[in-house]
Each structure stands twice: as structure tokens, then as C-alpha cells.
């Protein structure tokens, strides 16, 4: 029977990635082992889960384990598991051809950083380049794998240089065996065929892996009395001990979440965090809970101290793993955590859960819903209890994610509102809570003012705030896109309405009726000239120093929202703005004079467009015709 052999090219993205991996300098080369062990452990998890419904698929091979083999002479290291294995098609799908979303994000970020020498373990962990990390240390990688229930095995081989081959092969037992032909070790690099090097790496990175990681090690043992050579007096004349090779389990497999808090050290908590999160930074805070009664569960959750690169990638995994009596059920358990807590990492172990539970069932499962409600409550308590400094760190990293909850979780909207922080026109760059804002409100202030936009300094200096500032009212400066949704859902706080500084009547000062009459026909004229972009021209109650700004009516879309939708590739409904003009500004007097003298004066047209441009620039917007603008301003300056 002819064997199937195929040679394939890696996809371009994978080639780039491999190129980076091979040519970069690492301070932590050893992380490749953590990645391969974690893949092996995942493969056993999958099989173990599958065997819950049909134990017979395991055959005689029922003792799950991960085996490491070292060969110093050949400079090789092998990682073998008796997990689920891969079929021919799975090997093609999962290894080498498909650039996984993580790898793509990784390459983009790397190119942006443009510093290939900074490829750190944090990056590798975050982007899950997993298996490919073997090429950090290996010049050739061979995978021999046999999927559970299959007769044939598959061999995958590559030098990581652009091509790989896949062949049908033989393998006695199910599972995956990955052989690394190691690169020649450079001065100062670890020797990955050395027993103690491997022991130390496994201990550090893979200690909590739930299956024994076994390796043959040298042991010294006493020679039994009967085998010792003795003299006439019965005294041993030769050696009394000998060196033997024995398999040893290198990891502790301690599921620390199932222990009592007092029996777990800070260091163990931190190591465990590193193990599940692949994050090298210590977590900001942990939450270890044991709940008994009708909703019984154990949880060990962590809030990271730094946001991962893919925090806003919708495909990024959530961080909570679900276990049932220490048996892994699933990764990325979205049902246990609302979207706005998706940065929380950890494990939840629910002993009453059915092991065969599927994601579909989980969604409706009462127990899971109760656990989720409970965990959310505990997380709110935890965040509310954080010291100011830590809370600020948290907010800086994850505030934008938490805010989503205001829009999506009606039940907890007010609790999340208490956790919101904004910079304000008066907070001097510091974060401020809504509660603090309300406490600081002036006696004559009825509403909570806010403004949305892309950039803090543009907002701070926005003409829209001139009157508010001159009346000494504080304004919340909202610079996250999500704030647009926050303000749609959070219309009041503590009985005070939230009011956009950009929209509707601010009720700050009365319009001077005499002036209004004087300008009426000019405003109509301006409106007619700008009717393609502007829905109305109004005397401004917001401006004190600037001459023009753009505003909207209460239920109009804000300028920032329009920008967000456009940059997301959407076509927002037509949203003409209001051009507000400052009737007390000397420029308006000049224009009025020109208008009275000769409505057809071409300069008048230019000035009208300049007014619009000034309003656009005032909110940090883009001009339609910047070169015309600069020409006109040039002319004006020359004439001055
Ligand atoms: P990740 O582990 O993040 O999914 P990898 O590149 O490390 O990414 O692995 C890609 C895929 O290859 C895995 O998702 C899994 O399906 C498969 N795989 C890797 N190692 C093994 C293994 N030891 N046994 C079975 N499947 C494996």
C-alpha cells in the first residue's frame, strides 16, 4: 500500500512568525516546554472528557500521563502524551497551515513594535503561538500522532524554514509524540537534555498540570544486603549504593483552588496565576471562594495587573476555566462571567455539574446562572474594596471593558455606575467617580455635564465648554468609544440627569433677543449657503470666546459617535449638525457689516465657509478642503 506523503508550504503569516521565532533572541527559551506540555495536557483533557460518555475508547491505556525523554547524545528531547491525538486532516488543519487569529495579532503587534529582539515570553503566551515555540530551540520538529479510534498514525516534519511534510505512519498507541532535534547550544544557553534543567522548568511552569509529567531520572539507591559483596566478617567490601534509572513524576498536580486558603502561600497563588494566564506580571488581586449550600462551588479568580494585547479582540479567549471535581470541563467559559468581566482569569470548580454538560446546556443551567450571579457580586465587592491606588491601576487597564456592563447588564447598571471613573475639567488629570462629581456639584447645578470625544486635550479645550467653564461647572471628559453607549444607557446618576455639553439647550444663559433679531437674516443666509452640511444656524449659548461651534439637538448623534461608526466601516444615518455662532464676537459684527453692504460679495461666501471650518477645527474634526482654508487664512493675515 502506497503511503500518503505530502509536502506543504507554510502560510505566509506562519512563515513570518517562524522567521521571527527562529531569528530572535530569547531570555526565556524554556517556555517552549510549557507550551508543549500544555498542549499535551489539553489533548488529555479532551480525551478524558470524551471518555466520560464512553470509557471503552481508552482501551488498556487508562493511565493518563505526559512523558519526557531526553537524549543527550543525539541532542534530542521528546514530549509524548496519551491524549486524544490528531487525525491526518487535523494535523493539516491545526499545525502549520492555518494562521490562527492569535498568530496574526501577534505578527501585527510585532511589526508595529518593529523590535524583533523584544520577543518576550509574555508575548508568546498572550498570543498563543504555542506549538510554534518549539522552533525556538529545535532545528527540526517531528510530530508522530495517532488519534483515538484511528488505526493509522501521521508523521509531520519540518525544519521551520517554510515547508513541512505530512506522511501516513505507524504508531503503537494513541496520542502525540513530539520530537525536537535541538539546535546546538550556544554559550550561556540552557541544555534541554539535562535532567535538572528539565526538572526545574517543569516545576516552574507546569507544576499544576493535572496529569503526571514523567521522566526517567538517575537515582541513587542502596544495594540490597543480599546483593552486596561481603568479606568473611560479613562487612561490605564494595559499593553499598548504586545508580539506577527510574521514572519520576516531576509535577505536584496540586489543584490549589481545592485547598483551604490558609494552606496556600502567596507564592503558590502567584505561580498558579502564571500557569493559567501565561501572564508574567503578578496579578493585581485574587479572589478565592468556597461556597456551600444549594449553589456549591469553589473559585479562584484573579484580576490581572495588565491588560493583554488582545483585550479588545472579540475572538480572544475569556479567562475562566470550568472544572468539576478537578476534572477539566472547559476553557474560556463565557457562561460564568459577563462580557464586561472577560479579563478575569481563574478557575471555577462546581462539583454538582454534570460532566457531560455542553456549552448549549450551560447557558440554561440554573446552577451555572447562580454561580455567575454570585461571582459577579463578589467581584463588585472586591473592586469596591480596592485601595484607591490599586483601583486606579485597575481602571486604567480595564475600565473601558467594565463600562460595557452599563449598557449590557441592566440589573447591575447602577453598581457599575458607582465604579466608573472619569477625568473632568476640574480634576487636574485625576480620575473622579460620579459620586464625587455629584458631591462637588455647585448648589445651582442641576445636571451632570459630560462631553464625548477622541482626545482629552481637545475636549478640555473644546469651545463647547466655554460657557460651562465660565459658570464654573465641572464637565466629565469621556474619551472611550464605549462612553457613547454608556451615556445612552446611563441617563441619570443619583437622581441627577446626565447632560451632553454638545447637545440640546444647556439652559445657561438667555439669548439676547435684540441681537437675535439683528442677525436673523444673516443666519438664514448662512444656513442657505451651508445647507448641505448644516441643519440650522443658531445664536450660541455655549460660546464665550470662540466664534463658532457645532452642536446637536438632544436626541441627535454626537460628532464622536458619527466618527466611531464611520471608522468601523458603517454608514451612520445622515446627521446634520447645528452651527452655533457667537453673536458677541467681533468677527460676527464684521460679517454682518459685509452682508448688509453687499450680499453678493464673494468674500462673504469665503467667510461663511471659514466659520464652518473654525467650528470643525474646534472639535478636532477634519476639514473638507484644508488647502482652501489655509489659503483664506493666509489672505486674511496678509490683509490684517
Ligand atoms: P493552541 O494550543 O493555542 O491552540 P498550538 O499552535 O499550540 O495552539 O496548537 C494548535 C492545535 O494543534 C491545538 O489547538 C490542538 O488542536 C493541536 N495540538 C497541538 N498539540 C497537540 C497534542 N499534543 N495533541 C493533540 N492535539 C494537539
Amino acid at each position: 500500500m502506497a503511503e500518503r506523503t505530502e509536502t506543504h508550504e507554510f502560510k505566509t503569516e506562519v512563515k513570518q512568525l517562524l522567521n521571527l521565532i527562529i531569528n530572535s533572541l530569547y531570555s526565556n527559551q524554556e517556555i517552549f516546554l510549557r507550551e508543549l506540555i500544555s498542549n499535551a495536557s489539553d489533548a488529555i483533557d479532551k480525551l478524558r472528557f470524551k471518555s466520560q460518555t464512553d470509557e471503552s475508547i481508552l482501551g488498556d491505556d487508562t493511565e493518563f500521563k505526559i512523558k519526557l525523554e531526553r537524549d543527550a547524545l543525539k541532542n534530542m528531547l521528546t514530549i509524548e502524551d496519551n491524549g486524544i491525538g490528531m487525525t491526518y486532516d487535523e494535523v493539516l488543519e491545526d499545525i502549520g497551515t492555518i494562521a490562527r487569529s492569535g498568530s496574526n495579532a501577534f505578527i501585527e503587534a510585532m511589526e508595529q513594535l518593529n523590535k524583533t529582539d523584544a520577543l518576550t515570553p509574555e508575548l508568546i503566551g498572550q498570543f498563543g503561538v504555542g506549538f510554534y515555540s518549539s522552533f525556538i530551540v529545535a532545528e527540526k520538529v517531528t510530530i508522530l500522532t495517532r488519534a483515538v479510534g484511528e488505526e493509522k498514525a501521521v508523521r509531520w516534519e519540518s525544519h521551520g524554514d517554510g515547508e513541512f511534510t505530512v506522511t501516513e505512519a505507524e504508531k503503537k498507541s494513541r496520542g502525540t509524540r513530539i520530537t525536537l532535534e535541538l539546535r546546538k547550544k550556544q554559550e550561556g544557553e540552557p541544555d534541554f537534555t539535562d535532567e535538572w534543567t528539565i526538572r526545574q522548568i517543569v516545576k516552574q511552569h507546569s507544576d499544576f498540570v493535572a496529569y503526571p509529567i514523567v521522566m526517567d531520572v538517575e537515582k541513587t539507591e542502596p544495594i540490597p544486603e543480599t546483593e552486596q559483596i561481603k568479606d568473611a566478617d560479613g562487612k561490605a567490601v564494595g559499593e553499598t549504593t548504586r545508580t539506577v534509572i527510574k521514572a519520576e513524576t516531576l509535577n505536584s498536580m496540586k489543584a490549589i483552588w481545592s485547598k483551604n486558603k490558609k494552606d496556600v502561600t502567596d507564592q503558590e497563588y502567584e505561580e498558579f496565576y502564571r500557569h493559567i494566564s501565561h501572564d508574567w506580571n503578578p496579578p493585581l488581586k485574587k479572589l478565592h471562594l468556597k461556597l456551600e449550600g444549594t449553589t456549591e462551588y469553589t473559585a479562584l479568580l484573579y484580576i490581572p495587573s495588565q491588560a493583554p494585547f488582545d483585550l479588545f479582540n472579540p475572538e480572544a479567549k475569556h479567562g475562566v476555566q470550568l472544572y468539576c471535581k478537578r476534572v477539566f470541563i472547559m476553557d474560556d467559559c463565557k457562561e460564568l462571567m459577563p462580557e464586561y468581566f472577560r479579563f478575569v482569569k481563574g478557575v471555577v470548580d462546581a462539583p454538582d455539574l454534570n460532566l457531560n454538560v455542553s456549552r448549549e446546556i450551560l447557558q440554561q443551567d440554573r446552577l451555572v446562572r447562580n454561580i455567575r450571579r454570585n461571582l459577579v457580586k463578589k467581584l463588585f465587592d472586591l473592586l469596591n474594596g480596592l485601595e484607591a491606588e490599586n483601583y486606579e491601576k485597575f481602571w486604567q487597564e480595564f475600565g473601558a471593558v467594565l463600562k460595557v456592563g452599563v449598557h449590557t447588564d441592566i440589573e447591575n447598571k447602577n453598581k457599575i455606575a458607582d465604579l466608573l471613573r472619569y477625568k473632568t475639567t476640574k480634576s487636574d488629570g485625576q480620575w473622579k467617580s460620579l459620586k464625587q462629581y455629584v458631591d462637588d456639584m455647585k448648589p445651582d447645578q442641576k445636571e451632570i455635564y459630560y462631553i464625548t470625544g477622541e482626545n482629552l486635550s481637545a475636549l478640555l479645550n473644546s469651545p463647547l465648554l466655554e460657557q460651562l467653564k465660565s459658570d464654573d461647572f465641572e464637565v466629565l471628559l469621556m474619551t472611550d468609544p464605549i462612553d457613547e453607549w454608556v451615556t445612552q444607557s446611563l441617563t441619570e446618576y443619583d437622581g441627577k440627569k446626565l447632560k451632553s455639553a454638545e447637545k440640546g439647550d444647556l439652559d445657561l444663559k438667555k439669548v439676547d433677543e435684540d441681537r437675535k433679531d439683528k442677525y436673523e437674516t444673516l443666519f438664514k443666509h448662512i444656513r442657505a449657503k451651508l445647507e448641505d452640511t448644516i441643519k440650522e444656524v443658531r445664536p450660541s449659548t455655549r460660546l464665550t470666546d470662540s466664534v463658532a461651534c457645532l452642536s446637536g439637538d438632544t436626541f441627535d448623534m454626537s460628532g464622536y459617535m458619527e466618527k466611531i461608526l464611520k471608522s468601523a466601516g458603517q454608514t451612520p444615518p445622515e446627521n446634520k449638525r447645528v452651527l452655533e455662532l457667537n453673536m458677541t464676537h467681533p468677527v460676527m459684527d464684521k460679517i454682518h457689516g459685509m452682508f448688509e453692504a453687499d450680499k453678493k460679495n464673494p468674500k462673504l461666501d469665503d467667510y461663511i465657509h471659514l466659520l464652518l471650518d473654525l467650528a470643525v477645527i474646534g472639535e478636532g474634526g477634519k476639514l473638507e478642503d484644508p488647502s482652501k482654508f489655509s489659503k483664506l487664512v493666509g489672505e486674511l493675515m496678509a490683509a490684517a
Side-chain angles (χ1 to χ4, degrees), residues 5 33 115 139 147 191 201 206 247 252 260 325 356 367 386 398 419 426 441 473 520 556 589 595:
T5 302
L33 191 57
K115 41 179 181 181
E139 57 186 19
D191 175 2
I201 299 172
S206 312
S252 74
N260 278 329
K325 297 190 206 125
N356 301 316
L367 175 66
L386 280 185
F398 301 109
L419 290 166
K426 290 181 170 189
M441 272 167 72
F473 289 136
E520 196 176 340
D556 284 356
D589 226 28
F595 176 71

Side-chain angles (χ1 to χ4, degrees), residues 484-535:
E484 289 286 351
W485 284 268
V486 169
T487 53
Q488 275 174 31
S489 299
L490 190 75
T491 49
E492 322 193 334
Y493 179 82
D494 197 12
K496 310 278 187 298
K497 287 213 156 43
L498 266 81
K499 173 89 187 148
S500 165
E502 176 189 342
K503 294 193 280 185
D505 188 357
L506 291 185
D507 237 352
L508 296 176
K509 67 172 184 189
K510 287 263 162 297
V511 174
D512 178 338
E513 291 298 328
D514 289 346
R515 272 186 206 261
K516 195 175 165 189
D517 290 346
K518 172 179 156 190
Y519 279 106
E520 196 176 340
T521 44
L522 170 62
F523 279 18
K524 277 199 179 128
H525 179 79
I526 298 176
R527 154 85 174 80
K529 289 283 170 197
L530 300 176
E531 70 178 351
D532 287 346
T533 31
I534 290 300
K535 71 171 174 182

Side-chain angles (χ1 to χ4, degrees), residues 559-615:
Y560 186 40
M561 184 68 153
E562 195 177 341
K563 200 165 171 185
I564 294 168
L565 293 179
K566 281 184 181 160
S567 70
Q570 299 184 29
T571 325
E574 188 183 67
N575 181 40
K576 285 192 182 171
R577 314 279 295 282
V578 175
L579 178 65
E580 291 195 12
L581 297 172
N582 181 355
M583 297 191 299
T584 56
H585 199 287
V587 162
M588 287 315 299
D589 226 28
K590 283 263 163 50
I591 296 182
H592 187 252
M594 283 171 81
F595 176 71
E596 293 283 284
D598 175 9
K599 293 184 183 38
K600 298 219 167 60
N601 182 351
K603 278 275 148 249
L604 182 63
D605 256 19
D606 284 349
Y607 287 0
I608 288 173
H609 281 99
L610 266 183
L611 284 175
L612 176 62
D613 286 352
L614 289 174

Side-chain angles (χ1 to χ4, degrees), residues 39-40 43 46 81 85-86 94-95 100 128-131 176:
N39 279 352
K46 284 182 200 161
D81 64 69
M86 283 176 274
D94 296 338
I95 309 284
R100 303 157 55 75
V129 293
F131 165 75
T176 303

Side-chain angles (χ1 to χ4, degrees), residues 393-459:
K393 273 193 207 149
F394 161 79
W395 185 253
Q396 196 89 22
E397 297 293 319
F398 301 109
V401 176
L402 188 65
K403 283 175 186 175
V404 175
V406 176
H407 195 60
T408 56
D409 188 353
I410 302 170
E411 200 183 322
N412 288 307
K413 187 168 89 175
N414 293 329
K415 284 208 176 116
I416 302 173
D418 288 333
L419 290 166
L420 297 176
R421 298 289 183 273
Y422 288 103
K423 293 184 176 167
T424 81
T425 45
K426 290 181 170 189
S427 74
D428 210 11
Q430 301 301 306
W431 296 105
K432 195 160 186 174
S433 66
L434 295 182
K435 179 167 187 313
Q436 190 62 49
Y437 179 100
V438 170
D439 287 349
D440 293 346
M441 272 167 72
K442 290 177 60 194
D444 56 336
Q445 185 181 348
K446 294 187 199 69
E447 293 171 316
I448 298 174
Y449 297 110
Y450 70 88
I451 183 164
T452 59
E454 206 166 5
N455 158 322
L456 199 66
S457 67
L459 286 186

Side-chain angles (χ1 to χ4, degrees), residues 120 122-123 126 273 277-285 302-312 342-345 390 392-399 401:
T120 57
E122 290 85 343
L123 277 174
Q126 277 166 351
Y273 170 72
S277 68
H278 294 191
D279 177 5
W280 247 243
N281 308 295
L284 186 70
K285 210 78 194 175
Y302 297 87
I303 295 180
S305 55
Q306 265 182 35
F309 276 83
D310 55 1
L311 184 62
F312 292 102
R342 62 171 187 266
F343 49 83
V344 173
K345 306 259 184 233
N390 272 341
E392 200 160 294
K393 273 193 207 149
F394 161 79
W395 185 253
Q396 196 89 22
E397 297 293 319
F398 301 109
V401 176

